[in-house]
Amino acid sequence: MTTGVGVRLERARIAAGLSQRALADATGISQPTLSRIISGDRAAKMPEVVAIAWATGHTVAQLTEAGTVADRVQCAARATNDSDMDRMREALLHFLELDNYLDDQAIPATV
């Protein structure tokens, strides 16, 4: 049985142009485990979701539908040295989504 998270992970993998083997290599998750997560035979652990999000260029919220902060965030930045503003915004949103998730799970911040 395929779960919603598994479907979103598979779509993210395909959108990133990665094979399951390539995604497994990029995340450190074994290919059989990745296959079981995608098929819904095994729940994804949050560190695995974070690794998949990073490797596919998605946010944790996009993969889990945990609600996004992207709609509430306004970004102001100045690009230098030919920096790509879209990639900078993606990275910022990724970290904000992760921070929001950790807050929701009552995981304390460490210094």
Side-chain angles (χ1 to χ4, degrees), residues 60-75:
V60 170
Q62 287 172 318
L63 298 180
T64 62
E65 286 193 347
T68 66
V69 295
D71 295 333
R72 301 186 315 249
V73 172
Q74 292 183 358
C75 301

Side-chain angles (χ1 to χ4, degrees), residues 9 12 23 27 29 34 37 47-57 63:
L9 295 178
L23 183 57
T27 60
I29 302 168
L34 187 59
I37 291 169
E48 294 166 337
V49 174
V50 170
I52 293 167
W54 190 256
T56 61
L63 298 180

Side-chain angles (χ1 to χ4, degrees), residues 30-45:
S30 73
Q31 192 277 326
T33 298
L34 187 59
S35 179
R36 288 192 303 274
I37 291 169
I38 289 170
S39 69
D41 292 335
R42 179 189 177 284
K45 297 175 184 170

Side-chain angles (χ1 to χ4, degrees), residues 54 59 85-97:
W54 190 256
T59 65
M85 289 298 293
D86 290 332
R87 290 187 61 193
M88 288 172 46
R89 184 174 190 280
E90 275 182 32
L92 173 62
L93 288 175
H94 174 79
F95 289 115
L96 289 173
E97 294 289 354

